[in-house]
């Protein structure tokens, strides 16, 4: 496992490429450094910055929860790591090895064995025409993990995700399965390639409430048993808290907060995370006591303000927020937040004025 | 294959295939049917119909019946081969464009468009004139080359849509190469479209061949139905009274065309099952006299039975559900997908479409018997007495009309026409749901999803209805926007004193918002209680497990479990409790055999669970609780919920 001294600089927001010294204390499963994706805008100007210089790491055996609303860029990040999209700039490292910017043929296939995805909608992510056995045997064959008959391995995969009797399930087509069972097939497909990293893109949000926890539990068990590392993407803070060791919060393509799951969600330090938390349903309180304070909605990514992207909606917005993207400030432990409220100078000024968030 | 079996059950495809088979046999068995050679000139000209020459002879003494039979061969050959070549071209170019994308796509797309704008028939005529006299192959070639573009465009669009589908992305992400992605993932999902495309192209080929031959630019020395028409015209068949010389090949072409068109349509329908619906008439239900609404309920649903009538049988989606909504009350309706909550809402508001059908029960709203109202009377009541807001209802806004006109619409339909009054009301409504007045003059695309949903809620409020039914109105929105809109809804309700029926799968949200919560499971209403009561003392084992089924926001991180299993199929008839299979505290011999009953366990708190049935012996209940599959749940049922009186 990773020693606790893992330099936090992996999470720093320095716009220039980070020094190579970061990975000296044993490689993380994944490092992404200043990852950036701009959609469109070939030719003159424009383009939508979907992922804006995002930097974070996933340690071995760790689940990193990636939280954000639609349009925050969270799914784009997963698709950049899986190379379904080509990054515009930045660096992705798997176990310390840099994934080359140009990848083709064997290199790409190798990457896709090491990194597997679980998709959001199990009704869309399985080809309706193929039986389960085909779907699960393909990764084994593509990556030459099975010699000849794949049936025994398919059976083991199905048993690992709790679909027993495996023989019955192997012969079924997607329309014969419930949503939860389909998602288990999706998880089995991801496991088939024996990946080092699993990218789970909202794997439970299309499922019914009563089966969500079982799918999450399955992923947690698999992580424990196989020492998998996982990026767990969700818009649900409670789900992220349940699943993750650490949580990263994304707003309009920018990483705004990262830290240990319980810390980030119990004591959010960025106003946006606080807003997200206050918006979650609380069955034991009425609506009124927690009237949320936020102006407007998630901005159009093509017209982002120059400074902090949350500034137009932020109840604590200050003049300085417009000056430029704030850096990540350490707020205790491994917890960091991209907000000027944590800038020592501004903190001091506010203490004098008797104002605190 | 499944599709073939479905095709064989359709009259359209059967007739089409039948005609094609007859024509095919005519061509293949021609030497057995007629002793004559179609080209021999051994008979006299213009012989009348006789037993020897069923269709007479031509101007130069050929047997027309023989020509008709042999002509089927070449006509079918042209149709089949040109259809095949055109389809192969369409598939190859369409798929390549869609899969490769980029400049390849642009180039192919440009080519397709060029071929589409070229006037087809003149091009065929010119091309055929150059290749004239070379037999049937030049004709086939020319027709194929002019007939592929339409299909390529359709297939390209379909393949592009498929390429973006998650299962293709999943195949890419698992390392699958382009060949297998095209041939194993994308192509099989386009089979019906490609088959339909083939018959469409074949139809075009047959008609083009006939047209070309008729005007004499084909090879007129061949015997096809087209050249028969050419010679009949050239030799003045009609002047000689030999109308059958023209009519029979014409009929042949028409029949072949019909057969291809029928097959094309039937296969197309296989890919778009919705094409076949729409004309299903739901038989009128015999209406029971409406019982008077209990107490002062605004909406009273009594023993409502709703089903979906399918060829495989009736799916009973809502089973004898009764629900009251008091004036000003906020009632939450929760359950998993497929539990019947939306069907209940649709049926109760008379919005159910075939194959859905109300099978029994009654719905009364403010004194109106909703299920027996005539369409005109329903129109009067709708929006004035009640309105509805649906999950994707931001999509109900018409993109080409200004918001203002759409807000006015419902009011104008109910007789408010004074512009000043309309404007004043629109402003009032916008203020109510928290939208700036200036958005009244915007178009829907200028508004965000949350804003659009607010507009829809404003429209639902326009005529001050007494009740609004909201079916997952915020599910498609982001959490923060969802919360803002829920706050507006709560605020509006307090101010206007309207009733709301709010449907969602998110129980924690409902408990927070509602006065009363009703839980549905597999078409049955299993528990009803005041929200705080339901939260503090859920009585039904399903509710209890549902309450624990989402991760908490606070407190220690501990493992929780969902509810194993899945709901029973709604097409089944269940003798007992529908939750039996998944229940941790089930009582075999009771729950799975007794018809479901509802028991009162507290003030306005009812539950459909035999643990609360005084007629079931305490010993049976204790046995179930002690044998519980899930000790945590069992403990809870024992400690919190089962009233002592029921246990002892």
């Amino acid at each position: 496992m990773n020693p606790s001294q893992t330099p936090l600089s992996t999470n720093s927001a320095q716009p220039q490429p980070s020094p190579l010294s970061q990975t000296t204390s044993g490689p993380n499963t994944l490092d992404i450094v200043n990852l950036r994706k701009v959609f469109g805008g070939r030719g003159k100007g424009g383009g939508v910055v979907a992922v804006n210089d995002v930097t974070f790491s996933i340690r071995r055996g760790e689940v990193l929860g990636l939280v954000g609303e639609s349009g925050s860029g969270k799914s784009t990040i997963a698709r950049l790591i899986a190379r379904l999209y080509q990054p515009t700039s930045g660096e992705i490292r798997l176990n310390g090895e840099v994934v080359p910017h140009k990848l083709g043929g064997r290199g790409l296939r190798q990457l896709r064995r090491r990194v597997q995805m679980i998709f959001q909608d199990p009704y869309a992510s399985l080809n309706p025409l193929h039986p389960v056995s085909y779907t699960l045997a393909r990764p084994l064959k593509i990556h030459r993990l099975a010699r000849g008959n794949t049936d025994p391995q398919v059976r083991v995969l199905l048993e690992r995700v709790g679909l027993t009797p495996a023989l019955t399930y192997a012969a079924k087509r997607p329309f014969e399965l419930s949503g939860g069972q389909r998602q288990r097939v999706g998880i089995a497909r991801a496991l088939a390639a024996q990946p080092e990293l699993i990218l789970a893109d909202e794997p439970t949000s299309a499922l019914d409430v009563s089966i969500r926890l079982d799918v999450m539990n399955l992923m947690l068990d698999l992580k424990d048993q196989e020492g998998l590392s996982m990026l767990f993407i969700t818009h649900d803070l409670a789900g992220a808290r349940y699943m993750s060791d650490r949580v990263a919060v994304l707003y309009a393509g920018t990483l705004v907060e990262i830290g240990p799951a319980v810390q980030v969600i119990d004591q959010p330090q960025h106003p946006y995370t606080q807003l997200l938390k206050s918006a979650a349903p609380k069955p034991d309180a009425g609506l009124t006591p927690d009237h949320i304070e936020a102006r407007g909605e998630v901005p159009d990514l093509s017209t982002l303000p120059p400074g902090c992207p949350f500034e137009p909606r932020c109840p604590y917005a200050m003049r300085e927020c417009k000056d430029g993207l704030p850096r990540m400030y350490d707020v205790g432990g491994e917890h960091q937040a991209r907000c000027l409220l944590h800038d020592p100078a501004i903190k001091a000024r506010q203490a004098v004025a008797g104002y605190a968030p | 294959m499944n599709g073939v079996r479905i095709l064989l059950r359709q009259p359209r495809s059967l007739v089409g295939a039948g005609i094609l088979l007859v024509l095919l046999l005519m061509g293949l068995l021609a030497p057995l049917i007629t002793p004559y050679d179609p080209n021999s000139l051994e008979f006299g000209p213009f012989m009348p119909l006789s037993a020897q020459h069923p269709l007479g002879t031509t101007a130069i003494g050929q047997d027309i019946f023989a020509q008709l039979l042999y002509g089927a061969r070449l006509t079918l050959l042209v149709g089949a081969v040109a259809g095949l070549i055109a389809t192969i071209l369409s598939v190859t170019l369409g798929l390549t464009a869609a899969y490769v994308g980029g400049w390849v796509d642009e180039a192919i797309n440009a080519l397709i468009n060029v071929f589409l704008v070229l006037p087809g028939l003149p091009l065929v005529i010119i091309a055929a004139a150059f290749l004239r006299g070379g037999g049937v192959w030049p004709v086939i070639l020319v027709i194929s080359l002019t007939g592929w573009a339409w299909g390529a465009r359709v297939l390209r669009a379909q393949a592009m849509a498929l390429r973006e589908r998650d299962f293709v992305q999943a195949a890419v992400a698992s390392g699958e190469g382009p060949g297998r992605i095209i041939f194993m993932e994308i192509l099989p999902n386009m089979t019906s479209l490609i088959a339909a495309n083939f018959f469409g192209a074949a139809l075009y080929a047959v008609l083009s061949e006939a047209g070309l031959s008729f005007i004499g630019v084909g090879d007129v020395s061949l015997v096809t139905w087209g050249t028969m028409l050419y010679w009949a015209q050239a030799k003045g068949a009609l002047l000689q009274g030999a109308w059958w010389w023209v009519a029979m090949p014409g009929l042949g072409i028409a029949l072949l065309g019909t057969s291809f068109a029928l097959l094309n349509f039937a296969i197309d329908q296989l890919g778009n099952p919705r094409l076949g619906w729409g004309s299903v008439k739901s038989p009128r239900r015999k209406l029971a006299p409406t019982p008077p609404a209990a107490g002062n309920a605004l909406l009273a649903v009594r023993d409502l039975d709703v089903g979906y009538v399918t060829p495989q049988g009736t799916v009973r989606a809502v089973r004898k559900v009764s629900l009251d909504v008091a004036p000003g009350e906020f009632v939450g309706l929760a359950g998993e997908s497929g539990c019947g909550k939306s069907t209940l809402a649709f049926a109760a508001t008379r919005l159910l479409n075939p194959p859905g059908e109300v099978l029994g029960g009654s719905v009364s709203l403010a004194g109106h018997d909703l299920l027996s109202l005539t369409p005109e009377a329903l129109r009067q009541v709708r929006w004035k007495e009640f309105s509805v807001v649906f999950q994707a209802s931001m999509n109900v806004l018409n993109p080409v009309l200004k918001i203002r006109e759409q807000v006015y619409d419902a009011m104008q339909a109910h007789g408010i026409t004074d512009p000043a009054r309309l404007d004043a009301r629109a402003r009032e409504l916008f203020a109510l749901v928290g939208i700036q007045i200036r958005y009244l003059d915007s178009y829907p695309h200028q508004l965000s999803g949350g804003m659009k949903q607010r507009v829809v809620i404003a429209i639902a409020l326009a005529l001050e209805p007494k009740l609004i039914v909201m079916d997952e109105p915020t599910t498609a929105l982001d959490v923060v926007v969802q919360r803002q809109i829920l706050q507006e809804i709560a605020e509006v309700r307090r101010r206007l004193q309207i009733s709301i029926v709010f449907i969602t799968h998110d129980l924690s949200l409902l408990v927070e918002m509602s006065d009363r919560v009703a839980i549905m499971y597999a078409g049955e209403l299993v528990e009803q209680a005041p929200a705080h009561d339901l939260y503090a003392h859920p009585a039904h084992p399903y509710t209890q497990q549902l309450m624990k089924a989402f991760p908490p926001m606070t407190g220690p991180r501990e493992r929780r479990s969902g509810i194993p299993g899945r709901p029973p199929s709604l097409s089944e008839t269940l003798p007992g409790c529908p939750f039996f299979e998944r229940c941790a505290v089930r009582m075999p011999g009771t729950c799975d055999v007794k018809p479901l009953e509802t028991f009162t366990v507290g003030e306005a708190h009812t539950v459909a669970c035999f643990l609360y049935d005084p007629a079931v012996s305490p010993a049976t209940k204790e046995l179930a609780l002690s044998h519980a599959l899930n000790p945590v749940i069992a403990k809870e049922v024992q400690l919190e919920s089962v009233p002592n009186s029921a246990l002892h």
Side-chain angles (χ1 to χ4, degrees):
Chain A
M1 287 305 293
N2 230 326
S4 54
Q5 275 101 334
T6 307
L8 273 173
S9 49
T10 36
N11 295 325
S12 84
Q14 300 306 314
Q16 61 281 98
S18 313
L20 285 168
S21 62
Q22 282 171 9
T23 50
T24 45
S25 54
N28 292 319
T29 301
L30 175 81
D31 296 286
I32 64 176
V33 183
N34 294 325
L35 191 65
R36 187 177 182 83
K37 177 67 184 175
V38 183
F39 282 111
R42 255 180 308 166
K44 61 170 171 99
V48 173
V49 183
V51 176
N52 186 9
D53 292 329
V54 170
T55 300
F56 62 71
S57 309
I58 301 179
R59 297 165 199 161
R60 193 154 304 153
E62 184 185 55
V63 177
L64 178 74
L66 189 57
V67 178
E69 295 180 90
S70 52
S72 63
K74 56 191 194 303
S75 295
T76 308
I77 290 183
R79 283 165 192 242
L80 288 171
I81 299 170
R83 238 354 124 77
L84 291 176
Y85 297 153
Q86 181 73 25
T88 305
S89 63
E91 193 173 278
I92 299 175
R93 284 195 296 263
L94 270 180
N95 275 322
E97 305 161 40
V98 174
V99 178
H101 201 70
K102 285 224 184 304
L103 261 185
R106 253 187 84 219
L108 198 57
R109 202 163 56 233
Q110 202 136 63
L111 171 75
R112 284 177 175 159
R113 192 194 67 68
R114 300 173 64 183
V115 178
Q116 282 285 310
M117 272 190 90
I118 299 172
F119 289 79
Q120 173 173 3
D121 182 358
Y123 290 85
S125 65
L126 300 178
N127 192 326
L129 299 173
H130 295 318
V132 169
S133 55
Y134 177 90
T135 305
L136 296 186
R138 281 311 299 160
L140 298 172
K141 288 184 179 150
I142 297 166
H143 303 296
R144 302 205 174 81
L145 298 166
R147 282 187 212 291
N149 189 2
T150 52
D151 290 351
Q153 270 164 286
V154 168
R155 209 189 64 224
V156 171
L157 280 170
L158 284 169
E159 280 164 3
R160 270 164 73 198
V161 296
L163 291 176
T164 48
L167 274 179
T168 320
Y169 282 105
K172 287 188 191 246
R173 277 169 210 277
F175 75 91
E176 297 172 277
L177 303 175
S178 70
Q181 291 169 337
R182 286 174 198 227
Q183 197 56 299
R184 284 168 192 267
V185 173
I187 294 171
R189 168 170 58 193
L191 292 177
Q194 301 168 13
E196 293 150 36
L197 173 68
I198 287 195
L199 310 167
D201 189 358
E202 304 224 32
T204 59
S205 61
L207 302 178
D208 262 315
V209 191
S210 72
I211 45 179
R212 276 184 200 174
L213 266 180
D214 288 334
V215 170
M216 287 197 216
N217 287 340
L218 171 68
M219 290 196 291
L220 284 176
D221 290 344
L222 291 168
K223 179 204 80 159
D224 288 342
Q225 289 157 14
E226 337 242 329
L228 283 171
S229 314
M230 201 182 298
L231 181 68
F232 181 77
I233 297 173
T234 181
H235 63 267
D236 169 30
L237 279 181
R241 188 177 184 270
Y242 187 78
M243 280 292 294
S244 321
D245 300 305
R246 286 188 305 137
V247 163
V249 182
L250 218 55
Y251 181 78
T254 306
L255 185 70
V256 295
E257 184 162 1
I258 189 166
V262 176
Q263 264 190 55
V264 170
I265 291 166
D266 292 6
Q267 284 115 34
Q269 295 300 318
H270 192 282
Y272 174 64
T273 320
Q274 292 165 358
L275 172 69
L276 269 187
K277 189 185 175 188
S278 72
K282 286 161 284 294
D284 35 3
L287 267 177
T288 26
D290 216 43
H291 207 90
I292 59 164
E293 270 300 321
R295 295 163 263 180
E297 297 180 19
V298 179
D300 185 353
L301 287 179
S302 56
T303 56
L304 279 184
C308 168
F310 189 59
E311 180 270 334
R313 303 174 68 194
C314 182
Y316 312 115
M318 301 171 285
R319 188 172 32 80
E320 293 90 336
C321 296
K322 295 184 183 184
D323 292 347
L325 189 65
R327 65 179 180 90
M328 291 295 257
Y329 292 94
D330 282 324
V331 292
E334 295 184 320
H335 192 168
Q336 295 178 310
R338 192 187 295 281
C339 180
L340 288 181
L341 291 173
H342 300 287
D343 187 275
I346 289 173
K347 245 183 182 163
R349 196 182 74 200
Q350 286 185 342
V352 173
Y355 170 83
Chain B
M1 245 179 69
N2 210 8
V4 175
R5 225 173 300 136
I6 295 173
L7 275 184
L8 288 180
R9 248 184 272 138
Q10 277 190 12
R12 245 195 297 261
S13 46
L14 276 183
V15 172
I19 298 175
L20 187 60
L21 192 69
V22 169
L23 297 179
L24 207 61
L25 288 177
M26 270 173 60
L28 288 176
L29 304 180
L32 301 180
I33 301 172
T34 177
Y36 307 125
D37 185 312
N39 291 317
S40 83
L41 309 170
E42 56 194 289
F43 310 108
F46 288 121
M47 284 169 71
L49 311 187
S50 65
Q52 208 186 358
H53 302 291
L55 293 177
T57 57
T58 65
I60 50 172
Q62 299 146 314
D63 181 67
I64 295 181
F65 186 60
Q67 287 209 321
L68 190 70
L69 292 179
Y70 283 95
R73 288 183 168 186
L74 274 186
T75 304
L76 279 168
L77 182 78
V78 171
V81 176
L84 199 65
I85 298 177
T87 304
I88 290 173
L89 281 173
S90 306
V91 171
T92 316
L93 287 166
L95 271 177
T96 311
Y99 188 79
V100 180
W103 68 267
V104 176
D105 180 35
E106 278 168 35
I108 293 178
N109 202 21
L111 192 69
I112 291 173
N113 287 331
V114 167
F115 271 88
L116 281 176
V117 293
L118 284 177
L121 202 59
L123 181 72
V124 173
I125 293 169
I126 293 165
F130 271 108
L131 298 165
R132 195 165 179 174
V136 74
W137 293 104
V139 177
I140 289 177
L141 194 70
V142 167
I143 294 173
S144 313
L145 286 179
T146 53
W148 63 272
W150 175 82
R153 162 172 275 198
V154 175
L155 293 172
R156 171 178 169 267
Q158 172 82 358
M160 281 177 110
L162 281 170
R163 195 189 59 169
E164 291 307 314
R165 291 279 295 275
D166 274 357
F167 65 81
V168 174
Q169 297 284 309
V172 174
S174 67
E176 203 78 270
R180 268 196 108 92
I181 285 174
I182 292 179
F183 291 107
M184 295 302 292
E185 305 291 337
I186 297 182
L187 207 55
N189 280 293
M190 297 170 65
T191 320
S192 67
L193 196 62
I194 292 171
N197 185 60
F198 166 75
F199 286 112
L203 172 62
Y204 166 80
V206 168
L207 295 178
S208 303
E209 189 276 331
L212 286 179
S213 301
F214 180 68
I215 56 172
V217 289
D219 188 338
V220 293
S221 63
L222 299 168
V223 180
T224 73
W225 291 340
T227 55
M228 282 175 75
L229 285 174
Y230 168 77
W231 286 115
Q233 167 72 12
K235 299 292 177 191
L238 289 177
L239 294 176
Q240 298 287 336
W243 55 268
W244 47 84
W245 191 5
V246 180
M248 293 321 283
L251 184 66
I253 290 167
L255 280 176
L256 187 57
T258 309
S259 138
F260 283 161
L262 284 173
L263 286 169
N264 176 330
F265 194 82
I267 296 174
D268 206 18
Q269 195 180 22
L270 203 64
N272 299 297
R274 249 172 306 170
L275 286 179
W277 288 113
S279 58
V280 185
K281 271 263 178 291
S282 72
R284 276 303 281 164
R285 163 189 74 99
K286 283 186 202 68
L287 289 164
T290 328
N296 63 344
L298 172 69
L299 174 77
V301 177
R302 284 284 166 279
D303 298 325
L304 193 66
D305 254 311
V306 189
Y308 290 93
V309 184
T310 71
Q312 286 80 37
T314 302
V315 177
R316 292 190 53 210
V318 174
R319 304 176 171 202
K320 278 210 175 311
V321 168
S322 297
L323 182 71
D324 282 348
V325 180
E329 194 180 25
F330 192 120
V331 175
L333 191 57
E336 295 176 66
S337 53
C339 73
K341 53 191 194 302
S342 296
T343 307
L344 174 62
F346 276 97
T349 49
R350 280 277 296 271
L351 285 168
L352 201 64
N353 285 326
E357 199 183 312
V358 173
L359 303 168
S362 68
V363 179
S364 82
L365 175 83
H368 303 280
D369 178 3
L370 276 191
L371 296 183
S372 59
L373 287 181
T374 62
E376 176 53 28
L378 182 69
R379 196 188 67 81
Q380 293 289 336
V381 173
R382 203 177 260 169
W383 236 253
K384 206 153 182 159
E385 302 280 1
F386 73 92
S387 56
V388 279
V389 175
F390 291 116
Q391 177 170 356
S393 55
M394 42 272 211
N395 302 335
V396 304
L397 295 176
N398 186 332
V400 297
L401 292 182
K402 279 188 182 165
I403 299 285
R404 178 185 291 278
E405 292 172 56
Q406 310 194 40
V407 176
Y408 286 1
D409 200 32
M411 294 192 271
Q412 285 167 333
H414 285 267
I416 304 171
T417 46
D418 174 28
R421 231 181 111 196
L422 284 170
D423 181 63
R425 181 72 185 137
R427 285 163 181 275
E428 214 174 285
L429 288 169
F430 268 43
L432 205 58
V433 297
I435 322 176
Q436 290 167 354
I437 308 291
R438 65 187 167 91
Y439 284 127
L440 265 176
D441 291 303
S442 310
Y443 288 96
H445 72 91
Q446 293 167 306
L447 273 60
S448 67
M451 282 295 166
K452 279 190 261 189
Q453 191 62 296
R454 282 190 171 89
V455 170
V456 172
I457 293 172
I459 293 174
L461 289 167
L463 294 164
E464 296 191 14
K466 299 190 179 85
L467 170 77
I468 303 187
V469 176
M470 298 184 164
D471 186 3
E472 310 238 8
T474 56
T475 308
L477 304 170
D478 275 323
V479 271
V480 176
V481 178
Q482 170 174 350
R483 166 77 16 167
Q484 290 166 341
I485 291 183
L486 290 176
Q487 284 171 351
E488 308 289 1
I489 292 174
E491 186 66 35
V492 164
R493 174 180 81 104
R494 253 194 302 279
R495 226 182 301 163
L496 304 181
Q497 289 296 309
I498 50 176
S499 306
I500 291 181
V501 174
F502 194 97
I503 300 168
T504 176
H505 61 274
D506 191 342
L507 190 56
S508 50
L509 190 95
L510 271 192
V511 168
E512 188 183 334
M513 299 257 319
S514 315
D515 298 324
R516 211 147 50 81
V517 173
I519 311 277
M520 280 189 79
Y521 184 78
E524 309 267 6
L525 215 151
V526 296
E527 185 164 5
Q528 248 193 98
H532 54 89
D533 204 16
L534 188 96
Y535 179 67
H537 310 288
H540 198 286
Y542 175 63
T543 318
Q544 290 168 351
Q545 279 177 277
L546 210 53
M547 291 283 204
K548 297 246 159 234
F550 36 85
M553 259 314 236
T554 51
R557 286 210 297 178
E558 55 186 13
R559 200 175 168 98
R560 295 191 169 202
S561 58
I563 311 176
R566 63 197 279 195
S569 153
L570 290 175
S571 49
E572 281 172 36
T573 321
L574 296 164
C577 171
F579 191 57
F580 180 76
E581 288 295 327
R582 298 170 83 183
C583 185
V585 288
R586 63 186 175 202
M587 299 179 284
T590 305
C591 302
D592 51 342
V593 289
K594 286 180 80 169
L596 201 61
E597 277 180 78
T598 302
F599 307 96
T600 304
V601 292
E603 181 148 10
H605 191 162
T606 58
V607 56
C609 175
F610 291 109
L611 279 177
Y612 305 90
D613 182 359
V616 174
S617 79
T620 313
K621 291 177 190 170
E622 296 209 33
L623 188 72
L625 293 174
S626 59
H627 280 242
L629 306 170
N630 184 336
V632 179
I633 298 284
K635 202 170 105 215
E636 245 171 58
V637 172
Q638 206 157 22
L639 293 181
E640 286 183 18
S641 308
V642 179
N644 286 337
S645 58
L647 270 175
H648 301 293

